[in-house]
Structures are given as structure tokens and as C-alpha cells.
Amino acid sequence: MYKFFLKRPLDFIISIVCICLLMPIFIIVFVGLYLANDGKPFFFQSRPGLNEKVFKIIKFKTMNDKKDEAGNLLPDAERLTKIGSYVRKTSLDEIPQLFNVLRGEMSLIGPRPLLPEYLPLYNDFQKQRHNIRPGITGWAQVNGRNTISWEEKFKFDVYYANNISFLLDLKIVFLTVEKVFKSEGINAENVATTESFKGN
């Protein structure tokens, strides 16, 4: 009952409340990143969601667009701005995704939406992560986030997809708050962004 009738209305209501409460922080981060990223505070990217339907995810932009002499983007670690590093460390870059939740493209809790190019690489087990809406936080995020292997992430994602409940969501919320305050699991050691998924 919760999965089919209550989860989506709760997502909508809680998202509206969170947007209202977080608006002062939203504005401060917006201004800071606007100045740091040459007028580009937001990051838009195509991501597959429920039933692999692609949508545009919105996040705060934590890296600039600086390029080398050949016109290629510099490595992620070199493009991560100081304010961007702080925004990512505190997970403030996720705030704009509340608008994805309002539009029904995402849920507050679910598997993180990954890149479209990963879709052909999933096996039948891993594809089950797309049986539900992707989330801002999820079971994999509170169990290691970017410090665990892709195989482990997918196991957590599929477990959640097959075991959604109000109590599990409540547990994930509390663990997410704890992780954010402790800044745990942001990235693997000495890596600015997580390693790409290359298939099985």
C-alpha cells in the first residue's frame, strides 16, 4: 500500500516543505556558484528513471568548465571549485533535485539515477533498479555511497526496489542525515568523482 499509494504523495508534500525551508540556503549557494562558475550555478544532465525513461536531472554545479590548451576539459579534480567542494561535501548540490521530485521524475528515496550509457551494460538483476523512481538518497548511499563497488551498489539498489516500506524509508532518512553530518562516503579515497561503470 505504501509503495503504490502513499510514497508519491508524501514525496510531493515533503518536497514542497523542504524547498520552502531550504530556500535561504538555496539562494546563498546559488549566488556563490553563480560567481564561481561564470554565471552557471546549475548542472543539467540526462538520466534514466522509472522504466528507463530519460529525464533531465538538475543539481548545483560543483565543477567549472576550464579546458586545457587543446580544448579538452581538465580532470574533474582540477575543475572542482572550493565552494563546489564544500557544497558536494555537505550534499547541498542535491537540493535542486527536489524540483525533479515535484515533477514526478524522482522520489526522495530510491536508487541514484545513473548515466544513460550504462543502460546496455546492466544484467537482468541490475535492471530491476529501474522498476521504481530514482531517488535523491537511497539504500546504497547510506551503505557506502561512492566508496563501495558497483556490484555492491546494485545489490543495495535492487534490494530496496524489492523491499520498499515506510520503515525502510524512515531508516534511510535518519542514516542520510547522519552521513551528511559526518561527511561519510562522498568519494573513494583520492578521487574527486566515482569511477565509471564499465559493465560486468
Side-chain angles (χ1 to χ4, degrees), residues 65-131:
D65 297 319
K66 291 184 178 180
K67 300 178 180 180
D68 59 23
E69 295 178 353
N72 301 311
L73 286 173
L74 294 173
D76 292 348
E78 295 181 36
R79 295 189 294 117
L80 184 63
T81 61
K82 289 183 178 180
I83 184 174
S85 178
Y86 176 79
V87 168
R88 180 178 294 184
K89 182 179 180 181
T90 54
S91 296
L92 293 174
D93 58 322
E94 312 287 359
I95 293 178
Q97 289 169 70
L98 290 169
F99 292 100
N100 288 120
V101 177
L102 286 182
R103 285 164 31 176
E105 298 161 335
M106 292 180 66
S107 175
L108 292 173
I109 300 171
R112 286 296 297 158
L114 302 175
L115 299 174
E117 50 262 42
Y118 293 172
L119 290 175
L121 304 178
Y122 297 143
N123 58 36
D124 290 339
F125 174 78
Q126 294 164 349
K127 286 181 180 179
Q128 295 180 66
R129 70 191 309 278
H130 289 289
N131 291 340

Coordinates of all heavy atoms in Angstrom, one line a residue, residues 65-131:
D65 N 34.2 24.8 -16.0 CA 34.4 24.3 -17.3 C 35.7 24.6 -17.9 O 35.9 24.7 -19.2 CB 33.3 24.8 -18.3 CG 31.9 24.4 -17.8 OD1 31.7 23.2 -17.4 OD2 31.0 25.2 -17.9
K66 N 36.7 24.7 -17.1 CA 38.1 25.0 -17.6 C 38.6 23.9 -18.5 O 38.5 22.7 -18.2 CB 39.0 25.3 -16.4 CG 38.7 26.6 -15.7 CD 39.7 26.9 -14.6 CE 39.4 28.2 -13.8 NZ 40.3 28.5 -12.8
K67 N 39.3 24.3 -19.5 CA 39.9 23.4 -20.5 C 41.4 23.6 -20.7 O 41.9 24.6 -20.3 CB 39.2 23.6 -21.9 CG 37.7 23.4 -21.8 CD 37.0 23.6 -23.2 CE 35.5 23.4 -23.1 NZ 34.8 23.6 -24.4
D68 N 42.0 22.5 -21.2 CA 43.5 22.6 -21.5 C 43.7 23.3 -22.8 O 42.7 23.8 -23.5 CB 44.1 21.2 -21.5 CG 43.5 20.3 -22.5 OD1 42.9 20.8 -23.5 OD2 43.6 19.1 -22.3
E69 N 44.9 23.4 -23.3 CA 45.3 24.1 -24.5 C 44.7 23.5 -25.7 O 44.4 24.2 -26.8 CB 46.8 24.2 -24.6 CG 47.5 25.0 -23.5 CD 49.0 25.0 -23.7 OE1 49.5 24.3 -24.6 OE2 49.6 25.7 -22.9
A70 N 44.3 22.2 -25.6 CA 43.7 21.5 -26.8 C 42.2 21.6 -26.8 O 41.6 21.1 -27.7 CB 44.1 20.1 -26.8
G71 N 41.7 22.3 -25.8 CA 40.2 22.5 -25.8 C 39.5 21.4 -25.0 O 38.2 21.3 -25.1
N72 N 40.2 20.5 -24.4 CA 39.6 19.4 -23.6 C 39.4 19.8 -22.2 O 40.2 20.5 -21.6 CB 40.5 18.1 -23.7 CG 40.7 17.7 -25.1 OD1 39.8 17.5 -25.9 ND2 42.0 17.4 -25.4
L73 N 38.3 19.4 -21.6 CA 38.1 19.7 -20.2 C 39.2 19.1 -19.3 O 39.7 18.0 -19.5 CB 36.7 19.1 -19.7 CG 35.4 19.8 -20.2 CD1 34.2 19.0 -19.8 CD2 35.3 21.2 -19.6
L74 N 39.6 19.9 -18.3 CA 40.6 19.4 -17.4 C 40.0 18.3 -16.5 O 38.8 18.1 -16.4 CB 41.0 20.6 -16.5 CG 41.8 21.7 -17.1 CD1 42.0 22.9 -16.1 CD2 43.1 21.3 -17.7
P75 N 40.9 17.5 -15.9 CA 40.4 16.4 -15.0 C 39.4 17.0 -13.9 O 39.5 18.1 -13.5 CB 41.7 15.9 -14.4 CG 42.7 16.2 -15.4 CD 42.4 17.5 -15.9
D76 N 38.5 16.1 -13.5 CA 37.5 16.5 -12.5 C 38.1 17.2 -11.3 O 37.6 18.2 -10.8 CB 36.6 15.3 -12.1 CG 35.8 14.8 -13.2 OD1 35.6 15.5 -14.2 OD2 35.2 13.7 -13.1
A77 N 39.2 16.6 -10.8 CA 39.8 17.1 -9.5 C 40.3 18.5 -9.7 O 40.3 19.3 -8.7 CB 40.9 16.2 -9.1
E78 N 40.7 18.9 -10.9 CA 41.2 20.2 -11.2 C 40.1 21.2 -11.4 O 40.3 22.4 -11.3 CB 42.2 20.2 -12.4 CG 43.4 19.4 -12.1 CD 44.4 19.4 -13.3 OE1 44.4 20.5 -14.0 OE2 45.0 18.4 -13.6
R79 N 38.9 20.8 -11.8 CA 37.8 21.6 -12.1 C 36.9 21.8 -10.8 O 36.0 22.7 -10.9 CB 37.0 21.1 -13.2 CG 37.8 21.1 -14.5 CD 36.9 20.8 -15.7 NE 36.4 19.5 -15.7 CZ 35.1 19.2 -15.7 NH1 34.2 20.1 -15.6 NH2 34.7 17.9 -15.7
L80 N 37.1 21.0 -9.8 CA 36.2 21.1 -8.6 C 36.6 22.4 -7.9 O 37.7 22.6 -7.4 CB 36.5 19.9 -7.7 CG 35.6 19.8 -6.5 CD1 34.1 19.7 -6.8 CD2 36.1 18.6 -5.6
T81 N 35.7 23.4 -7.8 CA 36.0 24.6 -7.1 C 35.9 24.5 -5.6 O 35.4 23.5 -5.1 CB 34.9 25.7 -7.6 OG1 33.6 25.2 -7.1 CG2 34.9 25.9 -9.1
K82 N 36.5 25.5 -4.9 CA 36.5 25.4 -3.5 C 35.1 25.4 -2.9 O 34.8 24.6 -2.0 CB 37.3 26.6 -2.9 CG 38.8 26.6 -3.1 CD 39.5 27.8 -2.5 CE 41.0 27.6 -2.7 NZ 41.7 28.8 -2.1
I83 N 34.2 26.3 -3.4 CA 32.9 26.3 -2.9 C 32.1 25.0 -3.4 O 31.3 24.5 -2.7 CB 32.1 27.5 -3.4 CG1 30.7 27.6 -2.8 CG2 32.0 27.6 -4.9 CD1 29.9 28.8 -3.0
G84 N 32.5 24.5 -4.6 CA 31.9 23.3 -5.1 C 32.3 22.1 -4.2 O 31.4 21.2 -4.0
S85 N 33.5 22.1 -3.7 CA 33.9 21.0 -2.9 C 33.1 21.0 -1.6 O 32.7 19.9 -1.1 CB 35.4 21.2 -2.6 OG 35.9 20.2 -1.7
Y86 N 32.9 22.2 -1.0 CA 32.1 22.3 0.2 C 30.6 21.9 0.0 O 30.0 21.2 0.7 CB 32.2 23.7 0.8 CG 31.3 23.9 2.0 CD1 31.7 23.5 3.2 CD2 30.0 24.5 1.9 CE1 30.9 23.7 4.3 CE2 29.2 24.7 3.0 CZ 29.7 24.3 4.2 OH 28.9 24.4 5.3
V87 N 30.1 22.4 -1.2 CA 28.7 22.1 -1.5 C 28.5 20.6 -1.7 O 27.5 20.0 -1.2 CB 28.3 22.8 -2.8 CG1 27.0 22.3 -3.3 CG2 28.2 24.3 -2.5
R88 N 29.5 19.9 -2.3 CA 29.4 18.5 -2.5 C 29.6 17.7 -1.2 O 28.9 16.8 -0.9 CB 30.5 18.0 -3.5 CG 30.4 16.5 -3.8 CD 31.4 16.2 -4.9 NE 31.1 16.7 -6.2 CZ 31.8 16.5 -7.3 NH1 32.9 15.7 -7.2 NH2 31.5 17.0 -8.4
K89 N 30.6 18.2 -0.4 CA 30.8 17.5 0.9 C 29.6 17.5 1.8 O 29.4 16.6 2.5 CB 32.0 18.2 1.6 CG 32.4 17.6 2.9 CD 33.6 18.3 3.5 CE 34.0 17.7 4.8 NZ 35.2 18.4 5.4
T90 N 28.8 18.6 1.8 CA 27.7 18.8 2.6 C 26.4 18.3 1.9 O 25.3 18.4 2.5 CB 27.5 20.2 3.0 OG1 27.5 21.1 1.9 CG2 28.6 20.7 3.9
S91 N 26.5 17.8 0.7 CA 25.4 17.3 -0.1 C 24.4 18.4 -0.5 O 23.3 18.1 -0.9 CB 24.7 16.1 0.6 OG 25.5 15.0 0.8
L92 N 24.8 19.6 -0.4 CA 23.9 20.7 -0.8 C 23.7 20.7 -2.3 O 22.7 21.3 -2.8 CB 24.5 22.1 -0.4 CG 24.6 22.3 1.1 CD1 25.3 23.6 1.4 CD2 23.2 22.4 1.7
D93 N 24.6 20.1 -3.1 CA 24.4 20.0 -4.5 C 23.1 19.3 -4.9 O 22.7 19.4 -6.1 CB 25.6 19.4 -5.2 CG 25.9 18.0 -4.7 OD1 25.8 17.8 -3.5 OD2 26.4 17.2 -5.5
E94 N 22.6 18.5 -4.0 CA 21.4 17.7 -4.3 C 20.1 18.5 -4.2 O 19.1 18.0 -4.7 CB 21.3 16.5 -3.3 CG 22.6 15.7 -3.2 CD 23.0 14.8 -4.4 OE1 22.2 14.9 -5.3 OE2 24.0 14.2 -4.4
I95 N 20.1 19.6 -3.5 CA 18.9 20.4 -3.2 C 18.0 20.6 -4.5 O 16.8 20.4 -4.4 CB 19.2 21.7 -2.6 CG1 19.8 21.5 -1.2 CG2 17.9 22.6 -2.4 CD1 20.1 22.8 -0.4
P96 N 18.6 21.0 -5.6 CA 17.7 21.3 -6.8 C 16.9 20.1 -7.3 O 15.9 20.2 -8.0 CB 18.7 21.8 -7.9 CG 19.8 22.3 -7.1 CD 20.0 21.4 -5.9
Q97 N 17.3 18.9 -6.9 CA 16.6 17.7 -7.3 C 15.2 17.6 -6.7 O 14.4 16.8 -7.1 CB 17.4 16.4 -7.0 CG 18.7 16.3 -7.8 CD 19.6 15.2 -7.3 OE1 19.2 14.0 -7.4 NE2 20.7 15.6 -6.8
L98 N 15.0 18.4 -5.7 CA 13.6 18.5 -5.1 C 12.6 18.9 -6.2 O 11.4 18.5 -6.1 CB 13.6 19.5 -3.9 CG 14.3 19.0 -2.7 CD1 14.4 20.2 -1.7 CD2 13.6 17.9 -2.0
F99 N 13.1 19.6 -7.2 CA 12.2 20.0 -8.3 C 11.9 18.8 -9.2 O 10.8 18.7 -9.8 CB 12.7 21.2 -9.0 CG 12.8 22.5 -8.2 CD1 13.9 22.9 -7.6 CD2 11.6 23.2 -8.1 CE1 14.0 24.1 -6.9 CE2 11.6 24.4 -7.3 CZ 12.8 24.8 -6.7
N100 N 12.9 17.9 -9.3 CA 12.7 16.7 -10.1 C 11.7 15.8 -9.4 O 10.8 15.1 -10.0 CB 14.0 15.9 -10.2 CG 15.0 16.5 -11.2 OD1 16.1 16.9 -10.8 ND2 14.6 16.7 -12.5
V101 N 11.7 15.8 -8.0 CA 10.7 15.1 -7.3 C 9.3 15.6 -7.5 O 8.3 14.9 -7.7 CB 11.1 15.1 -5.8 CG1 10.0 14.3 -5.0 CG2 12.4 14.4 -5.5
L102 N 9.2 17.0 -7.4 CA 7.9 17.6 -7.6 C 7.3 17.2 -9.0 O 6.1 17.0 -9.1 CB 8.0 19.1 -7.5 CG 8.2 19.7 -6.1 CD1 8.2 21.2 -6.2 CD2 7.1 19.3 -5.2
R103 N 8.1 17.1 -10.0 CA 7.7 16.8 -11.3 C 7.4 15.3 -11.6 O 7.0 14.9 -12.6 CB 8.7 17.3 -12.4 CG 8.7 18.8 -12.5 CD 9.9 19.4 -13.1 NE 10.6 18.6 -14.1 CZ 11.6 19.1 -14.8 NH1 12.1 20.4 -14.7 NH2 12.3 18.4 -15.7
G104 N 7.7 14.5 -10.5 CA 7.4 13.1 -10.6 C 8.5 12.3 -11.3 O 8.3 11.1 -11.6
E105 N 9.6 12.9 -11.6 CA 10.7 12.2 -12.3 C 11.6 11.4 -11.3 O 12.3 10.5 -11.6 CB 11.6 13.2 -13.0 CG 10.9 13.9 -14.1 CD 11.5 15.2 -14.5 OE1 12.3 15.8 -13.7 OE2 11.3 15.7 -15.6
M106 N 11.6 11.9 -10.0 CA 12.4 11.2 -9.0 C 11.5 11.1 -7.7 O 10.4 11.6 -7.6 CB 13.6 12.1 -8.6 CG 14.6 12.1 -9.8 SD 16.1 13.1 -9.3 CE 16.8 12.1 -8.0
S107 N 12.1 10.3 -6.8 CA 11.5 10.2 -5.4 C 12.5 10.7 -4.5 O 13.7 10.9 -4.8 CB 11.2 8.7 -5.1 OG 10.8 8.5 -3.8
L108 N 12.1 11.0 -3.2 CA 13.1 11.4 -2.2 C 14.1 10.3 -2.0 O 15.3 10.5 -1.7 CB 12.4 11.9 -1.0 CG 11.6 13.1 -1.1 CD1 10.8 13.4 0.2 CD2 12.4 14.3 -1.3
I109 N 13.6 9.1 -2.0 CA 14.4 7.9 -1.7 C 14.2 6.8 -2.8 O 13.1 6.5 -3.2 CB 13.9 7.3 -0.3 CG1 14.1 8.3 0.8 CG2 14.8 6.0 0.0 CD1 13.5 7.9 2.1
G110 N 15.4 6.4 -3.2 CA 15.4 5.4 -4.3 C 16.8 5.2 -4.8 O 17.7 5.9 -4.4
P111 N 17.0 4.3 -5.8 CA 18.4 4.2 -6.4 C 18.8 5.5 -7.0 O 18.0 6.2 -7.7 CB 18.2 3.1 -7.4 CG 16.9 2.4 -7.0 CD 16.1 3.4 -6.3
R112 N 20.0 5.9 -6.9 CA 20.5 7.1 -7.6 C 20.4 6.9 -9.1 O 20.8 5.9 -9.6 CB 22.0 7.4 -7.2 CG 22.1 7.9 -5.8 CD 21.5 9.2 -5.6 NE 22.1 10.3 -6.4 CZ 21.5 11.4 -6.8 NH1 20.2 11.6 -6.4 NH2 22.1 12.3 -7.5
P113 N 19.9 8.0 -9.8 CA 19.9 7.9 -11.2 C 21.3 8.0 -11.8 O 22.0 8.9 -11.5 CB 19.0 9.1 -11.6 CG 19.2 10.1 -10.5 CD 19.4 9.3 -9.3
L114 N 21.6 7.0 -12.7 CA 23.0 7.0 -13.2 C 22.9 7.5 -14.7 O 22.0 8.2 -15.1 CB 23.5 5.6 -13.1 CG 23.6 5.0 -11.7 CD1 24.0 3.6 -11.7 CD2 24.5 5.9 -10.8
L115 N 23.9 7.2 -15.5 CA 24.1 7.7 -16.8 C 23.3 6.8 -17.8 O 23.3 5.6 -17.7 CB 25.5 7.8 -17.2 CG 26.4 8.8 -16.3 CD1 27.8 8.7 -16.7 CD2 25.8 10.2 -16.5
P116 N 22.7 7.4 -18.9 CA 22.0 6.6 -19.9 C 22.9 5.6 -20.6 O 22.5 4.5 -21.0 CB 21.6 7.7 -20.9 CG 21.5 8.9 -20.1 CD 22.6 8.9 -19.2
E117 N 24.2 5.9 -20.7 CA 25.1 5.0 -21.4 C 25.4 3.7 -20.6 O 25.9 2.7 -21.2 CB 26.5 5.6 -21.7 CG 27.1 6.3 -20.6 CD 26.9 7.8 -20.6 OE1 25.7 8.3 -20.9 OE2 27.8 8.6 -20.3
Y118 N 24.9 3.7 -19.4 CA 25.1 2.5 -18.6 C 24.0 1.4 -18.9 O 24.1 0.2 -18.6 CB 25.0 2.8 -17.1 CG 26.2 3.6 -16.5 CD1 26.2 4.1 -15.2 CD2 27.3 3.8 -17.3 CE1 27.3 4.8 -14.7 CE2 28.4 4.6 -16.8 CZ 28.3 5.1 -15.5 OH 29.4 5.8 -15.0
L119 N 22.9 1.9 -19.4 CA 21.7 1.0 -19.6 C 22.0 -0.3 -20.3 O 21.6 -1.3 -19.9 CB 20.6 1.8 -20.3 CG 19.9 2.9 -19.6 CD1 18.9 3.7 -20.4 CD2 19.2 2.3 -18.3
P120 N 22.8 -0.3 -21.5 CA 23.1 -1.5 -22.2 C 24.0 -2.4 -21.4 O 24.2 -3.6 -21.7 CB 23.7 -1.1 -23.5 CG 23.4 0.4 -23.6 CD 23.3 0.9 -22.2
L121 N 24.6 -1.9 -20.3 CA 25.6 -2.7 -19.6 C 25.0 -3.5 -18.4 O 25.7 -4.3 -17.9 CB 26.7 -1.7 -19.0 CG 27.4 -0.8 -20.1 CD1 28.4 0.1 -19.4 CD2 28.1 -1.7 -21.1
Y122 N 23.8 -3.2 -18.1 CA 23.2 -3.9 -16.9 C 22.8 -5.3 -17.3 O 22.3 -5.6 -18.4 CB 21.9 -3.1 -16.4 CG 22.1 -1.7 -15.9 CD1 21.2 -0.7 -16.2 CD2 23.3 -1.4 -15.2 CE1 21.4 0.6 -15.7 CE2 23.5 -0.1 -14.7 CZ 22.5 0.9 -15.0 OH 22.7 2.2 -14.5
N123 N 22.9 -6.2 -16.3 CA 22.4 -7.5 -16.5 C 20.9 -7.5 -16.0 O 20.4 -6.5 -15.5 CB 23.2 -8.6 -15.7 CG 23.3 -8.3 -14.2 OD1 22.4 -7.8 -13.6 ND2 24.5 -8.6 -13.7
D124 N 20.2 -8.6 -16.1 CA 18.8 -8.6 -15.7 C 18.6 -8.3 -14.3 O 17.6 -7.6 -14.0 CB 18.2 -10.0 -16.0 CG 18.1 -10.3 -17.5 OD1 18.1 -9.3 -18.3 OD2 18.1 -11.5 -17.9
F125 N 19.5 -8.7 -13.4 CA 19.3 -8.4 -12.0 C 19.5 -6.9 -11.8 O 18.6 -6.3 -11.1 CB 20.4 -9.1 -11.2 CG 20.4 -8.8 -9.7 CD1 19.5 -9.3 -8.8 CD2 21.4 -7.9 -9.2 CE1 19.5 -8.9 -7.5 CE2 21.4 -7.5 -7.9 CZ 20.5 -8.1 -7.0
Q126 N 20.5 -6.3 -12.3 CA 20.7 -4.9 -12.1 C 19.6 -4.0 -12.7 O 19.4 -2.9 -12.2 CB 22.1 -4.5 -12.7 CG 23.3 -5.2 -12.0 CD 24.6 -5.1 -12.8 OE1 24.6 -4.8 -14.0 NE2 25.7 -5.5 -12.2
K127 N 19.0 -4.4 -13.8 CA 17.9 -3.7 -14.4 C 16.7 -3.4 -13.5 O 16.0 -2.5 -13.7 CB 17.5 -4.4 -15.7 CG 18.4 -4.3 -16.9 CD 17.9 -5.0 -18.1 CE 18.8 -4.9 -19.3 NZ 18.3 -5.6 -20.5
Q128 N 16.6 -4.2 -12.5 CA 15.5 -4.1 -11.6 C 15.5 -2.7 -10.8 O 14.5 -2.3 -10.3 CB 15.5 -5.2 -10.5 CG 15.2 -6.6 -11.1 CD 15.2 -7.7 -10.1 OE1 14.4 -7.7 -9.2 NE2 16.2 -8.5 -10.1
R129 N 16.7 -2.1 -10.8 CA 16.7 -0.8 -10.1 C 15.9 0.3 -10.8 O 15.5 1.3 -10.2 CB 18.2 -0.3 -10.1 CG 18.8 0.1 -11.4 CD 20.3 0.3 -11.3 NE 20.7 1.2 -10.3 CZ 20.7 2.5 -10.3 NH1 20.2 3.1 -11.4 NH2 21.1 3.2 -9.3
H130 N 15.5 0.0 -12.1 CA 14.6 0.9 -12.8 C 13.2 0.6 -12.7 O 12.3 1.2 -13.4 CB 15.1 1.0 -14.3 CG 16.4 1.7 -14.5 ND1 16.6 3.0 -14.3 CD2 17.6 1.2 -14.8 CE1 17.8 3.4 -14.5 NE2 18.5 2.3 -14.8
N131 N 12.8 -0.3 -11.8 CA 11.4 -0.7 -11.6 C 10.7 0.4 -10.7 O 9.5 0.3 -10.6 CB 11.2 -2.1 -11.0 CG 11.6 -3.2 -11.9 OD1 11.7 -3.0 -13.2 ND2 11.9 -4.3 -11.4

